[in-house]
Amino acid sequence: MRGKWWQEAVIYQIYPRSFCDSNNDGIGDIQGIIAKLDYLKKLGITAIWVCPFYKSPMDDNGYDVSDFFSIAPEYGTMDDVIQLINELHKREMRLIVDTVLNHTSDEHPWFVESKSAIDNPYRDYYIWKEARPDGSLPSNWESFFGGSVWQHDAQTNSYYMHIFSKRMPDLNWSNELMRKDIYQMMEWWLDKGVDGFRIDAVAHLDRNMDFPNHQVPNGRDYSPCYFEYSNRPNVHEYIQEMRNVVLTQYDVMTVGEAGGASIEDSLKYCAYGRNEFNLLINFDHCWVDTDDHSASYVPGKWTYKKLELPLLKKSFAKYQVNMYQKAWNTIYWSNHDQPRVISHYGNDHLQFHNISAKMLATTLYMMGGTPIIFQGEEIGMTNVAYESLEDYRDVEIYTLYKETVQRGLATNEDIMDRIHKRSRDNARTPMQWDHTVNGGFSTVEPWIKTNPNYVNINVLDNLVNENSIFYYYQKLICIRQNSECLLYGDFKLYLEDDENIFMYTRSFKEDRYLVITNFFDKIVDVEIPNEINCENAEVIISNYQLKQLKRSISLLPYEAIVYHF
Ligand code: GLC
Ligand code: CA
């Protein structure tokens, strides 16, 4: 239409292990994705981002890559991936692959070489350090998955760095040879026909190589000094080099993952003219309800407090306003690392399930930027609460449990409650296709248990009910894709400090939209600011009966309305 393809794209994120199992071995696969492309097309999706499908021992479900050039056998073959690309392109859809550049698996041949001897040519592909003179670890930094970032290796009696699991050694980006190999790998994938890269954990490529120690909070063993390995200056040099060497030669889009990037950092990663990324994911709004003053025995992500809506609104507004005309926004509620948004910021009880899912969708997808819809969000999939720890699969959960309950710092009940609310497995339960066993994902027991609510929440029911969440998403997508104002207009937040209502406008030339949503389960009276003319407002979409705009209106629980002027 008017902009670049990725500015007008609607991206759907697929976690392949949990999406669709075509051969009934309990694990989702590439043929399963192919089988569902028409479903995605119907929703209005124009591109898919597929989480890693490369060969991997699956310590972190494929984010631990042991061979960049081959496909995990449980997911399929290279021919399947080529077929996926062709089937997508046939439907005028595109493929964004997940590219993991911060680390590899410990089974990657580079690491096997690297650890074998100090003078091995691959030694410096990773980050190795000796113990300190007093015998202590090279630094006291904490890894994202808990424990130290350092792992001892007996072969050369030294430590390698890993900011995620110990089976995911960090690549050394200050090594030019390593960078060259990575760029070649990216070119290889571009030559296969992929249309974009989602670049994993890219904020961490540069670290403070002086490795200073930092203060350790009470009750913890290591210092969660993430700033020592996040959003540091040299990251930008590497990304610009990657762009110059690889990306400029292709019509390819990039979306970087830089958790915790401030607005200033985000602009460095994706402002027009900086030649880094097209889109950026920083999770700012995903973390507005973490409670930094809560129990010190758990890292921030496992803490929570009641949602204060003004914080959520300000988080979105910060990026919507400050990036306008400087960079392109990315809008998403969650992903495979976050709890399900309906359980997090909505209401997943049966009574409000449908209505609050639609409210959340309205709030987000009328904003500016490229949407990324996480699989299952379009039918309102919820968090899961397995009673037994053994039913969980995520490596991160087990370190948390070991470091808290098993050391007597927290009760089983406390930690299970945190896992139910926050764990990444909430997002990874199998996609709920229908009412048959395992939600139609697979006829055999899946690799992770299906959420038992598949009997009420599934694709089949959504497709036969015109009032479903699916059709509401379809309609929202259609509205935004056909409006120059919703694609390119500016954003203005109203009622900033109101604790219940999210209200904003989008404006472009003569066109204007007003979005009003109620985030809670009670009726709220709203006074429309005088600046907004209430006449001639037409309702474009709503999750209740259509309601005329007046100076004072009252919103029902989780009501969402969009007016057009
Ligand atoms: C990213 C991925 C996450 C993974 C981590 C390490 O944050 O989204 O799933 O565990 O990087 O690769
Ligand atoms: Ca399978």
Side-chain angles (χ1 to χ4, degrees):
M1 236 189 323
R2 296 139 288 219
K4 300 262 200 272
W5 70 262
W6 46 267
Q7 292 178 307
E8 297 189 4
V10 181
I11 302 172
Y12 187 89
Q13 185 199 343
I14 293 179
Y15 198 66
R17 209 170 184 77
S18 306
F19 189 60
C20 177
D21 176 14
S22 73
N23 60 348
N24 290 308
D25 64 354
I27 300 174
D29 44 56
I30 293 163
Q31 284 301 331
I33 301 175
I34 295 173
K36 298 298 180 185
L37 291 182
D38 289 331
Y39 165 75
L40 298 178
K41 182 85 187 169
K42 182 176 168 121
L43 181 60
I45 300 305
T46 65
I48 60 171
W49 147 28
V50 184
C51 290
F53 44 53
Y54 318 101
K55 193 168 163 223
S56 160
M58 300 288 168
D59 187 49
D60 189 22
N61 289 349
Y63 280 96
D64 47 325
V65 180
S66 57
D67 181 359
F68 292 116
F69 305 99
S70 59
I71 307 302
E74 62 257 65
Y75 293 160
T77 62
M78 189 58 77
D79 286 345
D80 292 330
V81 173
I82 300 297
Q83 190 190 340
L84 174 64
I85 295 173
N86 292 336
E87 291 296 326
L88 281 163
H89 290 174
K90 242 195 250 170
R91 292 170 175 79
E92 289 176 35
M93 296 165 85
R94 312 209 192 213
L95 178 63
I96 299 164
V97 289
D98 212 317
T99 313
V100 190
L101 305 184
N102 177 73
H103 46 265
T104 65
S105 157
D106 59 352
E107 293 183 17
H108 193 287
W110 292 349
F111 188 70
V112 175
E113 290 287 329
S114 181
K115 70 175 189 180
S116 68
I118 302 186
D119 56 0
N120 186 282
Y122 286 94
R123 182 67 170 182
D124 288 338
Y125 271 45
Y126 296 85
I127 300 168
W128 290 96
K129 283 286 280 182
E130 318 263 279
R132 291 185 171 225
D134 65 359
S136 64
L137 293 171
S139 73
N140 64 0
W141 303 357
E142 185 171 69
S143 115
F144 284 118
F145 288 176
S148 166
V149 299
W150 297 103
Q151 176 67 27
H152 186 255
D153 191 72
Q155 250 166 318
T156 56
N157 189 26
S158 37
Y159 293 84
Y160 63 87
M161 191 175 183
H162 64 89
I163 61 172
F164 295 99
S165 111
K166 62 173 188 263
R167 300 213 46 201
M168 294 148 81
D170 290 340
L171 287 165
N172 176 10
W173 273 76
S174 67
N175 180 341
E176 207 184 321
L177 291 176
M178 191 288 296
R179 298 204 302 274
K180 275 201 180 133
D181 275 346
I182 290 282
Y183 301 150
Q184 271 176 19
M185 176 275 286
M186 293 173 81
E187 279 174 17
W188 188 89
W189 276 102
L190 285 165
D191 292 336
K192 294 266 175 250
V194 307
D195 305 291
F197 294 116
R198 178 265 186 184
I199 302 189
D200 184 65
V202 74
H204 314 300
L205 303 188
D206 179 27
R207 312 118 208 273
N208 183 352
M209 297 291 239
D210 294 334
F211 307 111
N213 276 341
H214 288 281
Q215 216 187 332
V216 177
N218 282 340
R220 302 261 280 274
D221 291 337
Y222 304 100
S223 174
C225 51
Y226 306 133
F227 58 90
E228 290 289 21
Y229 51 85
S230 304
N231 301 308
R232 296 179 58 86
N234 281 343
V235 162
H236 299 287
E237 277 174 37
Y238 302 142
I239 301 169
Q240 287 175 13
E241 179 185 74
M242 179 191 308
R243 174 150 291 276
N244 291 335
V245 176
V246 187
L247 305 174
T248 44
Q249 310 168 53
Y250 299 81
D251 176 23
V252 59
M253 71 83 84
T254 49
V255 42
E257 185 205 30
S262 64
I263 177 69
E264 294 78 21
D265 285 333
S266 298
L267 283 166
K268 286 187 195 153
Y269 284 113
C270 68
Y272 306 133
R274 276 201 47 102
N275 288 326
E276 296 196 18
F277 296 128
N278 300 126
L279 304 178
L280 191 80
I281 294 172
N282 59 27
F283 303 111
D284 199 74
H285 63 272
C286 297
W287 298 329
V288 298
D289 64 343
T290 55
D291 181 1
D292 296 334
H293 304 293
S294 130
S296 64
Y297 53 80
V298 284
K301 80 160 263 185
W302 297 105
T303 66
Y304 45 82
K305 57 187 179 198
K306 195 176 161 284
L307 170 65
E308 291 172 43
L309 188 62
L311 295 179
L312 186 66
K313 292 192 277 190
K314 286 172 196 169
S315 165
F316 279 115
K318 185 165 62 189
Y319 294 91
Q320 288 286 313
V321 172
N322 294 312
M323 301 221 322
Y324 190 60
Q325 289 178 338
K326 294 198 192 103
W328 193 254
N329 264 291
T330 312
I331 50 175
Y332 51 91
W333 268 125
S334 72
N335 73 357
H336 64 290
D337 297 328
Q338 304 297 330
R340 288 281 178 182
V341 68
I342 189 166
S343 307
H344 188 193
Y345 292 146
N347 188 330
D348 60 10
H349 294 109
L350 215 51
Q351 185 190 359
F352 292 119
H353 177 261
N354 178 297
I355 219 86
S356 85
K358 292 173 179 173
M359 181 281 288
L360 290 169
T362 316
T363 306
L364 182 68
Y365 297 115
M366 295 289 101
M367 290 186 199
T370 299
I372 305 182
I373 299 170
F374 180 60
Q375 71 182 38
E377 183 194 316
E378 78 282 14
I379 57 165
M381 278 179 64
T382 70
N383 278 355
V384 73
Y386 303 126
E387 270 168 43
S388 156
L389 186 69
E390 281 147 44
D391 287 333
Y392 283 92
R393 295 289 171 267
D394 186 2
V395 44
E396 183 188 62
I397 291 173
Y398 288 92
T399 355
L400 172 76
Y401 201 84
K402 202 156 71 194
E403 291 189 350
T404 54
V405 183
Q406 286 176 8
R407 290 176 47 185
L409 292 172
T411 61
N412 174 64
E413 217 184 353
D414 174 25
I415 294 301
M416 288 309 285
D417 184 53
R418 292 172 196 276
I419 291 172
H420 291 162
K421 293 207 171 62
R422 288 296 211 227
S423 91
R424 307 194 300 176
D425 279 343
N426 283 310
R428 302 175 179 186
T429 60
M431 182 74 182
Q432 296 165 200
W433 294 104
D434 59 36
H435 320 102
T436 60
V437 64
N438 304 316
F441 168 77
S442 179
T443 52
V444 302
E445 181 76 16
W447 69 276
I448 186 170
K449 282 194 171 146
T450 312
N451 190 323
N453 67 15
Y454 71 82
V455 283
N456 298 314
I457 301 171
N458 60 63
V459 170
L460 187 73
D461 283 356
N462 269 259
L463 291 178
V464 297
N465 173 5
E466 61 178 27
N467 189 33
S468 69
I469 302 169
F470 176 92
Y471 287 120
Y472 192 89
Y473 266 74
Q474 187 190 53
K475 189 168 171 194
L476 273 180
I477 291 172
C478 179
I479 293 169
R480 65 167 287 133
Q481 295 313 95
N482 288 300
S483 159
E484 208 171 20
C485 179
L486 292 172
L487 288 169
Y488 295 103
D490 72 5
F491 171 99
K492 183 164 182 198
L493 183 66
Y494 287 90
L495 309 182
E496 222 177 271
D497 297 311
D498 188 288
E499 287 171 6
N500 304 299
I501 299 294
F502 204 135
M503 183 191 293
Y504 63 87
T505 54
R506 300 288 313 282
S507 312
F508 192 74
K509 298 177 190 161
E510 300 298 291
D511 228 9
R512 191 182 221 192
Y513 288 82
L514 171 66
V515 179
I516 315 176
T517 60
N518 175 2
F519 259 70
F520 296 96
D521 61 359
K522 55 188 179 214
I523 298 176
V524 181
D525 296 325
V526 189
E527 205 48 33
I528 305 294
N530 284 329
E531 205 183 310
I532 296 169
N533 176 3
C534 291
E535 279 152 44
N536 302 324
E538 177 200 357
V539 182
I540 292 293
I541 190 167
S542 165
N543 57 354
Y544 279 90
Q545 306 293 322
L546 303 188
K547 170 182 287 176
Q548 216 193 327
L549 184 60
K550 298 205 200 87
R551 195 55 59 201
S552 315
I553 57 169
S554 157
L555 291 205
L556 297 168
Y558 301 105
E559 183 161 6
I561 326 173
V562 181
Y563 294 102
H564 181 222
F565 304 86

